[in-house]
């Protein structure tokens, strides 16, 4: 899925709190706020300021810390501003000064002339870099929308999928009643962060924590069960596919056959759960979550059971000839 267009104005408009806050404000170059950020990375333009522009990463956000600021003041005091002019000859997305540093007036004049936004933050360079890279990584992460319900069960994110009417929402509602949490119903947006972590959330924040129950209508989970019954986002760690019971299909009864589902290039453990009257699917999902946690701790119930059975068979096979010879006397 293509990444949405993300501008400098979008960066300024991000509603981020506490440890995610960037504390950004625009100093000049406001007519360039619609410039698009295309690469989720930063560049420290120290070499460019010294006049070396080979392989200059001008497509990235340009970050000015105390070192770059000291060098700027030096070349401005010496009247060597050609490199600053050459810097702004490139279509930079924006320039950001950390530590509440005030850029030289000549830099601000050149930025205003070419329409390059110059931003300022109170954060230090290392902290700002880590926050911005984390935010840009999430924004530029590949994403996909899947029809299903995402719930958190015993700390694990379970994506309940299946055909319409199979009972996904009813299963999730029973899990919420049992103290687990809803992340999203009906349409789940999944993004791949850091190349191997799938984060799921509601595709629409307005209706994300509402559920449609056939015969009952739309219900508000937050108001019915409280804020402790919902989450904004959760890692997808198990896919539970609900399907109508098929008498002709052979279902795994031991659990040694590990199925997976490929989502954005990440393999996620998958369970195929047949649904029919009398089967308590919520309890099955609770057990699946606890079993998956045991697997992450190195304990695989199905494999251990299989090994115990093999040892028992080998033991009986070794005893049979002995008892057979004894019976012959």
């Amino acid at each position: 899925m293509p990444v949405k267009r993300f501008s400098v104005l979008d960066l300024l408009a991000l509603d981020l709190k506490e440890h995610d806050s960037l504390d950004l404000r625009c100093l000049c170059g406001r007519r360039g706020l619609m410039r698009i950020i295309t690469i989720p990375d930063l560049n420290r333009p120290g070499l460019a300021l010294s006049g070396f522009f080979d392989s200059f990463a001008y497509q990235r956000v340009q970050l000015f810390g105390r070192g770059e600021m000291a060098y700027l003041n030096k070349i401005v005091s010496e009247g060597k501003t050609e490199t600053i002019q050459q810097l702004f000859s490139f279509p930079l997305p924006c320039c950001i000064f950390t530590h509440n540093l005030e850029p030289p007036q000549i830099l601000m004049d050149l930025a205003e002339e070419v329409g390059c936004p110059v931003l300022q933050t109170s954060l230090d360079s290392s902290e700002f870099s880590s926050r911005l890279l984390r935010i840009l990584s999430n924004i530029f992460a590949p994403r996909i929308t899947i029809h299903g319900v995402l719930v958190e069960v015993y700390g694990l994110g379970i994506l309940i999928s299946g055909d319409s009417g199979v009972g996904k929402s009813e299963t999730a509602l029973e899990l919420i009643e049992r103290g687990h949490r809803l992340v999203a119903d009906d349409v789940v947006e999944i993004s791949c962060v850091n190349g191997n972590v799938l984060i799921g959330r509601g595709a629409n924040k307005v209706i994300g924590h509402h559920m449609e129950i056939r015969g009952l209508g739309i219900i508000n989970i937050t108001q019915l069960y409280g804020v402790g019954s919902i989450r904004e986002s959760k890692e997808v760690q198990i896919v539970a596919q609900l399907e109508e019971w098929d008498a002709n299909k052979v279902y795994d009864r031991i659990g040694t056959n590990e199925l997976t589902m490929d989502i954005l290039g990440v393999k996620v453990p998958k369970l195929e759960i047949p649904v029919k009257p009398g089967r308590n699917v919520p309890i099955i999902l609770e057990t699946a979550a606890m079993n998956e946690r045991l697997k992450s701790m190195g304990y695989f119930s199905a494999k251990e059971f299989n090994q115990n059975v093999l040892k028992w068979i080998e033991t009986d096979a070794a005893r049979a000839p002995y008892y057979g010879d004894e019976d012959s006397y």
Side-chain angles (χ1 to χ4, degrees), residues 139-159:
I139 291 172
F140 282 78
R143 60 193 70 229
I144 190 174
T145 55
I146 293 180
H147 179 65
V149 184
L150 181 59
V151 290
E152 182 194 60
V153 180
Y154 294 132
L156 270 71
I158 299 181
L159 176 64

Side-chain angles (χ1 to χ4, degrees), residues 208-278:
H209 295 132
H210 291 71
M211 294 185 73
E212 177 192 353
I213 305 297
R214 285 176 172 81
L216 186 60
I218 304 296
I219 61 174
N220 188 322
I221 297 299
T222 308
Q223 292 186 358
L224 283 176
Y225 296 95
V227 294
S229 64
I230 62 170
R231 280 199 62 157
E232 293 298 325
S233 62
K234 179 63 183 175
E235 181 182 352
V236 179
Q237 294 155 292
I238 304 175
V239 176
Q241 181 176 324
L242 307 187
E243 57 183 55
E244 297 289 347
W245 185 285
D246 185 356
N248 298 318
K249 183 174 179 178
V250 179
Y251 294 102
D252 186 11
R253 301 182 63 177
I254 299 178
T256 54
N257 297 329
E258 297 185 73
L259 300 177
T260 60
M261 179 177 178
D262 187 290
I263 302 177
L264 297 173
V266 180
K267 301 290 185 181
V268 183
K270 177 184 175 183
L271 305 173
E272 291 182 346
I273 302 177
V275 178
K276 72 173 183 178

Side-chain angles (χ1 to χ4, degrees), residues 56-296:
F56 175 44
Y58 64 88
Q59 305 96 331
R60 303 179 184 180
V61 172
Q62 304 298 312
L63 186 67
F64 292 76
R66 286 175 173 166
E68 290 81 6
M69 187 65 185
Y71 191 74
L72 271 174
N73 289 331
K74 178 178 182 296
I75 61 177
V76 169
S77 64
E78 295 175 354
K80 302 176 182 178
T81 59
E82 297 82 5
T83 55
I84 302 177
Q85 296 175 0
Q86 194 173 354
L87 180 74
F88 284 105
S89 67
F90 292 87
L92 311 177
C94 65
C95 298
I96 301 178
F97 285 78
T98 60
H99 299 91
N100 274 336
L101 295 171
E102 292 287 342
Q105 188 60 45
I106 186 172
L107 184 144
M108 296 181 67
D109 292 341
L110 288 171
E112 188 69 40
E113 181 181 338
V114 299
C116 177
V118 176
L119 313 180
Q120 184 188 62
T121 177
S122 61
L123 299 173
D124 60 63
S125 299
S126 59
E127 180 63 24
F128 179 81
S129 298
S130 63
R131 294 188 186 189
L132 183 60
L133 289 175
R134 183 172 65 247
I135 291 166
L136 292 179
S137 176
N138 291 333
I139 291 172
F140 282 78
R143 60 193 70 229
I144 190 174
T145 55
I146 293 180
H147 179 65
V149 184
L150 181 59
V151 290
E152 182 194 60
V153 180
Y154 294 132
L156 270 71
I158 299 181
L159 176 64
I160 306 173
S161 65
D163 295 334
S164 181
V166 77
K168 299 185 295 296
S169 295
E170 290 79 2
T171 300
L173 185 61
E174 174 65 22
L175 288 169
I176 296 167
E177 181 71 32
R178 297 169 70 89
H180 306 293
R181 297 198 280 183
L182 173 71
V183 181
D185 179 57
D186 193 33
V187 181
V188 181
E189 182 184 82
I190 300 176
S191 56
C192 181
V193 181
N194 297 329
N196 60 354
V197 178
L198 299 174
I199 302 297
R201 57 178 56 84
N204 189 319
K205 290 185 178 181
V206 177
I207 63 175
H209 295 132
H210 291 71
M211 294 185 73
E212 177 192 353
I213 305 297
R214 285 176 172 81
L216 186 60
I218 304 296
I219 61 174
N220 188 322
I221 297 299
T222 308
Q223 292 186 358
L224 283 176
Y225 296 95
V227 294
S229 64
I230 62 170
R231 280 199 62 157
E232 293 298 325
S233 62
K234 179 63 183 175
E235 181 182 352
V236 179
Q237 294 155 292
I238 304 175
V239 176
Q241 181 176 324
L242 307 187
E243 57 183 55
E244 297 289 347
W245 185 285
D246 185 356
N248 298 318
K249 183 174 179 178
V250 179
Y251 294 102
D252 186 11
R253 301 182 63 177
I254 299 178
T256 54
N257 297 329
E258 297 185 73
L259 300 177
T260 60
M261 179 177 178
D262 187 290
I263 302 177
L264 297 173
V266 180
K267 301 290 185 181
V268 183
K270 177 184 175 183
L271 305 173
E272 291 182 346
I273 302 177
V275 178
K276 72 173 183 178
R279 297 206 86 203
N280 194 325
V281 179
I283 288 182
I284 294 174
L285 292 183
E286 285 183 332
T287 307
M290 289 188 288
N291 192 47
E292 191 65 27
R293 293 188 67 177
L294 279 176
K295 288 181 183 179
S296 66

